[in-house]
């Protein structure tokens, strides 16, 4: 009975593919008649539906099972569509094949990132297990000969389907080289409208198109940007020496260095108009705080791995097109040098502590590429895998014993997670329990989300205080100084949504914060400039170790900052193009394949 599901339907097999091709040609003619570009017909409605019908034909589904297949494919299609819309809204980046691969490799990570409750993940896995078990039961209890015949037939038909899908992408590969100008500078408006940010292209076409772009660019030969020119080292040293404190006495013991990436943490006093000031110590110049600055970051609403990459390498991912959004897949594997390797040359041991599974977005492989000698993920730290109940304090309680065992001087990179979106209103009975609110007349749900952020921010602050106290204790016991850097990776997706724009100040959504604390004198004279980009952090910290401008880590970043006059978007600064030549020192030729900045 169950084997009839794969029974060939001759009528479908004979006529439906021809109908699909005819419909395809009509769409192309429609686009040309309207004067659109070659692939504009892919924007026309209905292509997803017809793609599903072709799938029915190729798999030979019996009519009696059509409604189940339609519901299943419609469900998958709608899920992809919904995720695509949400991703475009928050990240201004469409869904790609890489996102699907990341999900298949670590599905729990995506459930967590989307803010689903742990019970939803458990229920989904349970349902999938039941369905798969039932299917296997049917196969096992069927007659062996029948099972083998239908399995072979099903394998052949699935193979035919994937061959057809591959053929479907051939036009993109043929014409993709003529569309280079559409994507080299991340013009995401080809995928969604600028007005309401709704998708222009149906999801199947979008996935095929983006996959062809990735394939084309990977096959291109690396070539230097024609506008890229090497900045003479002498010029860099002359400028950078003006920012270094003269005649500074270096510590006889190299300082222990700790970076803390605080997930989705920003200074709400700078971002929103509030009724009361947020008094978190994170944003105050207390306890040896040497800099409390706005930090310009690349991602908005999500993309922690981008900030991880930039603060570990000093390489600005905005120099790259789409590949800058998938650093763990494209850039990290091709690193030649990084901040951890720079410190390793100076005798540092290094450890990285990750609150997620090491397989999620290729984290473990990325940190190994960064040059860390040891990497511990949520499994090795024995912490919860469910982000909605994650505690930064518990994270630090698990990390500090490793810090005690580390060979000095050490460099630790710690990733917090507690303030990850969404910020649902689940911890407050009513508005009387709120600690703060937006100045503008706000709906209760928005104020509640704000207070949920502040509640978690308090947990992050307590965790930060534990690290600071521990470093101070180690310093008192060993006379070894320390440098502690905490920063936000991006503003949370909750608050970058349009509904919160009415409460915002004029500050860009690309700003978070950074705080540098040390019992050593601050090594640079940065003046009153209010901000810098995240890529400058490794360079600043390296100044604690040297008096020589040429011995800084990636000194070109300090030079770039000085010459661009604190420009919010360094990519608009004329000398930004010169960074391509700089990155040749840090990336292999394979990594530079993805360099398409113009």
């Amino acid at each position: 009975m169950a084997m009839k599901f794969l029974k060939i339907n001759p009528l479908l097999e004979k006529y439906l593919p021809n109908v699909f091709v005819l419909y395809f040609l009509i769409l192309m003619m429609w686009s040309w008649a309207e004067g659109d570009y070659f692939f504009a017909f892919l924007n026309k409605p209905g292509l997803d539906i017809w793609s599903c019908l072709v799938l029915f034909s190729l798999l030979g589904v019996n009519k009696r099972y059509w409604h189940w297949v339609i519901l299943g494919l419609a469900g998958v299609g709608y899920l992809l569509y919904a995720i695509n819309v949400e991703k475009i809204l928050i990240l201004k980046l469409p869904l790609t094949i890489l996102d699907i691969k990341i999900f298949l490799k670590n599905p729990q990570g995506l459930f967590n990132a989307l803010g689903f409750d742990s019970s939803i993940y458990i229920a989904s896995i349970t349902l999938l297990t039941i369905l798969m078990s039932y299917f296997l039961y049917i196969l096992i209890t069927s007659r062996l000969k029948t099972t083998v015949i239908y399995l072979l037939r099903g394998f052949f038909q699935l193979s035919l389907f994937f061959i057809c899908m591959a053929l479907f992408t051939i036009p993109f590969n043929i014409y993709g080289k003529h569309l280079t100008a559409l994507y080299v500078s991340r013009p995401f408006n080809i995928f969604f409208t600028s007005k309401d940010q709704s998708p222009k292209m149906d999801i199947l076409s979008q996935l095929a198109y983006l996959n062809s772009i990735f394939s084309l660019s990977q096959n291109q030969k690396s070539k230097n940007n024609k506008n890229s020119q090497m900045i003479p080292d002498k010029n860099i040293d002359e400028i950078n020496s003006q920012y270094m404190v003269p005649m500074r006495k270096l510590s006889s013991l190299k300082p222990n260095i700790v970076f803390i990436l605080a997930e989705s943490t920003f200074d709400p006093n700078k971002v929103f108009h509030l009724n009361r000031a947020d008094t978190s110590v994170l944003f105050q110049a207390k306890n040896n705080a040497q800099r409390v600055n706005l930090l310009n970051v690349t991602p908005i609403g999500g993309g922690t791995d981008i900030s991880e990459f930039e603060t570990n390498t000093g390489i600005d991912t905005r120099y790259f097109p789409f590949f800058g959004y998938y650093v763990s897949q494209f850039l990290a594997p091709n690193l030649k040098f990084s901040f951890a390797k720079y410190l390793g040359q100076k005798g540092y041991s290094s450890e990285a502590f990750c609150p997620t599974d090491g397989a999620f977005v290729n984290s473990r492989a990325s940190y190994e590429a960064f040059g860390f000698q040891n990497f511990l993920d949520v499994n090795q730290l024995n912490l919860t895998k469910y982000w909605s109940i994650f505690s930064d304090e518990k994270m630090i309680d698990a990390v500090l014993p490793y810090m005690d065992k580390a060979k000095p001087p050490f460099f630790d990179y710690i990733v917090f997670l507690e303030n990850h979106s969404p910020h649902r209103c689940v911890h407050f009975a009513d508005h009387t329990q709120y600690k703060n609110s937006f100045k503008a007349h706000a709906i209760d749900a928005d104020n509640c989300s704000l207070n949920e952020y502040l509640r978690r921010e308090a947990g992050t602050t307590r965790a930060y205080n534990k690290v600071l106290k521990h470093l101070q204790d180690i310093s008192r016991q060993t006379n070894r100084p320390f440098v502690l850097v905490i920063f936000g990776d991006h503003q949370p997706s909750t608050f970058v949504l349009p509904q919160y724009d009415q409460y915002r100040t004029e500050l860009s959504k690309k700003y978070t914060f950074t705080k540098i604390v040390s019992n050593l004198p601050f090594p640079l004279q940065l003046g009153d400039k209010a901000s810098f980009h995240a890529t400058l952090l490794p360079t600043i910290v390296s100044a604690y170790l040297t008096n020589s401008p040429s011995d800084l880590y990636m000194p070109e970043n300090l030079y770039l900052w000085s010459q661009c006059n604190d420009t919010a978007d360094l990519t608009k600064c004329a000398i930004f193009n010169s960074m391509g030549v700089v990155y040749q020192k840090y990336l292999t030729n394979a990594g530079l394949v993805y360099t398409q900045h113009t």
Side-chain angles (χ1 to χ4, degrees):
M1 180 70 179
M3 290 299 100
K4 292 181 179 180
F5 181 84
L6 292 174
K7 184 178 179 181
I8 296 294
N9 189 309
L11 190 64
L12 278 176
E13 193 171 43
K14 184 175 181 180
Y15 293 110
L16 198 53
N18 295 327
V19 173
F20 175 80
V21 171
L22 179 62
Y23 180 72
F24 202 79
L25 292 174
I26 291 174
L27 286 177
M28 290 176 63
M29 294 174 64
W30 181 10
S31 299
W32 289 338
E34 293 180 349
D36 289 339
Y37 58 88
F38 184 77
F39 286 112
F41 70 92
L42 293 174
N43 297 345
K44 306 302 179 186
L47 190 60
D48 278 338
I49 298 174
W50 282 96
S51 298
C52 291
L53 292 177
V54 170
L55 177 61
F56 297 164
S57 174
L58 293 171
L59 295 180
V61 176
N62 190 294
K63 285 184 179 180
R64 72 180 65 185
Y65 299 108
W66 269 20
H67 60 288
W68 292 111
V69 177
I70 291 172
L71 287 175
L73 289 176
V76 171
Y78 179 77
L79 180 63
L80 290 174
Y81 170 80
I83 293 174
N84 184 50
V85 170
E86 189 72 12
K87 189 180 179 190
I88 288 173
L89 180 64
I90 296 173
L91 301 181
K92 307 296 184 293
L93 180 71
L95 185 70
T96 70
I97 291 291
L98 286 174
D99 297 314
I100 297 175
K101 289 180 178 178
I102 290 171
F103 165 69
L104 293 176
K105 190 173 182 180
N106 190 272
Q108 185 176 3
L110 180 64
F111 273 80
N112 281 323
L114 294 175
F116 290 132
D117 188 76
S118 57
S119 59
I120 296 178
Y121 172 74
I122 294 172
S124 301
I125 295 300
T126 302
L127 179 61
L128 182 62
T129 302
I130 293 173
L131 292 175
M132 292 298 293
S133 300
Y134 176 74
F135 182 71
L136 289 174
Y137 169 77
I138 294 296
L139 290 181
I140 293 173
T141 55
S142 299
R143 289 182 299 174
L144 180 62
K145 181 179 179 180
T146 305
T147 300
V148 171
I149 290 174
Y150 277 103
L151 282 177
L152 289 174
R153 180 178 291 174
F155 176 76
F156 169 75
Q157 292 169 347
L158 282 172
S159 301
L160 183 60
F161 167 70
F162 286 116
I163 290 172
C164 289
M165 288 301 293
L167 292 174
F168 177 70
T169 65
I170 284 179
F172 295 106
N173 292 324
I174 294 174
Y175 289 94
K177 60 184 179 181
H178 301 300
L179 302 175
T180 300
L182 292 178
Y183 70 87
V184 292
S185 298
R186 299 181 176 184
F188 301 129
N189 59 317
I190 66 171
F191 297 108
F192 54 88
T193 62
S194 57
K195 183 177 181 180
D196 60 1
Q197 297 179 347
S198 59
K200 283 183 179 180
M201 192 178 288
D202 75 272
I203 188 65
L204 291 182
S205 305
Q206 175 183 297
L207 292 174
Y209 177 61
L210 284 171
N211 190 58
S212 69
I213 287 177
F214 287 134
S215 301
L216 280 167
S217 295
Q218 289 182 73
N219 293 329
Q220 289 178 358
K221 293 182 179 180
S222 176
K223 53 186 178 181
N224 295 336
N225 188 293
K226 62 182 180 181
N227 297 319
S228 295
Q229 297 179 358
M230 177 67 76
I231 306 170
D233 291 340
K234 181 181 178 182
N235 293 1
I236 295 174
D237 290 347
E238 286 179 356
I239 296 296
N240 287 352
S241 62
Q242 299 174 20
Y243 291 94
M244 302 191 74
V245 176
M247 306 299 292
R248 181 172 60 94
K249 183 179 180 180
L250 296 177
S251 171
S252 58
L253 293 175
K254 294 184 177 69
N256 292 320
I257 299 172
V258 176
F259 276 29
I260 297 176
L261 183 154
E263 167 67 43
S264 296
T265 304
F266 63 98
D267 185 351
N269 301 302
K270 304 284 188 183
V271 173
F272 292 122
H273 296 290
L274 304 176
N275 280 319
R276 285 178 293 277
D278 180 11
T279 58
S280 171
V281 71
L282 294 178
F283 317 119
Q284 298 181 25
K286 295 182 178 180
N287 300 324
N288 299 115
Q290 297 178 338
R291 299 290 299 191
V292 180
N293 280 83
L294 289 172
L295 187 70
N296 185 274
V297 294
T298 297
I300 296 177
T304 298
D305 56 331
I306 295 173
S307 290
E308 288 175 277
F309 179 85
E310 292 185 335
T311 54
N312 271 298
T313 66
I315 296 174
D316 196 323
T317 60
R318 293 173 299 179
Y319 191 84
F320 305 88
F322 291 110
F323 308 103
Y325 279 94
Y326 296 94
V327 291
S328 57
Q329 283 77 26
F330 293 104
L331 300 183
N334 294 294
L335 276 174
K336 291 191 294 187
F337 200 54
S338 67
F339 188 50
K341 292 180 180 180
Y342 165 87
L343 293 176
Q345 292 179 349
K346 295 183 178 297
Y348 276 77
S349 62
S350 56
E351 287 186 301
F353 302 92
C354 180
T356 62
D357 191 291
F360 184 59
V361 293
N362 216 27
S363 294
R364 183 179 297 277
S366 293
Y367 277 92
E368 289 174 355
F370 295 155
F372 283 89
Q373 297 164 5
N374 196 19
F375 173 87
L376 294 101
D377 68 0
V378 64
N379 302 303
Q380 294 159 294
L381 295 171
N382 294 316
L383 298 170
T384 179
K385 293 184 179 180
Y386 300 113
W387 298 7
S388 60
I389 58 174
F390 193 90
S391 165
D392 289 344
E393 278 193 273
K394 291 181 180 179
M395 171 83 173
I396 288 304
D397 290 340
V399 166
L400 293 184
Y402 289 95
M403 194 178 291
D404 288 332
K405 299 174 187 176
K407 177 185 175 183
F410 59 77
F411 171 44
D412 284 354
Y413 194 103
I414 306 169
V415 180
F416 284 173
L417 186 61
E418 186 168 349
N419 229 326
H420 194 284
S421 292
H423 296 82
R424 296 192 178 99
C425 187
V426 294
H427 292 98
F428 304 95
D430 55 52
H431 71 277
T432 60
Q433 297 181 342
Y434 298 166
K435 293 183 177 180
N436 212 331
S437 60
F438 295 114
K439 264 190 176 180
H441 182 68
I443 63 174
D444 185 70
D446 292 347
N447 277 330
C448 194
S449 292
L450 170 66
N451 281 271
E452 176 63 18
Y453 169 84
L454 296 174
R455 186 190 71 83
R456 298 189 210 171
E457 179 196 89
T460 298
T461 302
R462 290 191 296 270
Y464 159 80
N465 285 333
K466 283 187 176 183
V467 178
L468 176 59
K469 182 180 183 302
H470 201 75
L471 289 173
Q472 291 171 334
D473 291 342
I474 293 175
S475 184
R476 280 192 292 268
Q477 296 165 10
T478 64
N479 291 321
R480 186 179 293 277
F482 70 89
V483 179
L484 172 60
V485 181
I486 184 169
F487 62 94
D489 58 339
H490 55 73
Q491 292 187 23
S493 61
T494 301
F495 299 112
V496 300
L497 294 174
Q499 72 188 73
Y500 290 91
D501 289 350
Q502 59 184 312
Y503 315 126
R504 299 182 71 93
T505 65
E506 294 180 357
L507 190 69
S508 166
K509 295 178 182 179
K510 281 185 170 290
Y511 282 101
T512 60
F513 86 104
T514 186
K515 182 174 184 177
I516 302 175
V517 181
S518 179
N519 51 5
L520 288 174
F522 192 65
L524 298 173
Q525 302 176 115
L526 300 183
D528 296 327
K529 288 191 175 183
S531 69
F532 42 77
H533 192 264
T535 51
L536 190 58
L537 284 176
T539 307
I540 291 175
V541 174
S542 70
Y544 283 95
L545 309 178
T546 181
N547 279 324
S548 171
S550 60
D551 192 34
L552 294 172
Y553 177 79
M554 201 178 284
E556 294 86 357
N557 276 340
L558 181 58
Y559 177 80
L560 178 66
W561 174 81
S562 68
Q563 298 302 297
C564 294
N565 195 30
D566 199 27
T567 304
D569 187 356
L570 293 177
T571 62
K572 296 179 180 178
C573 188
I575 64 172
F576 184 76
N577 284 325
S578 300
M579 296 306 290
V581 179
V582 175
Y583 295 156
Q584 292 179 13
K585 306 175 189 176
Y586 298 84
L587 287 168
T588 64
N589 287 335
L592 289 169
V593 163
Y594 310 117
T595 305
Q596 299 291 337
H597 189 80
T598 56

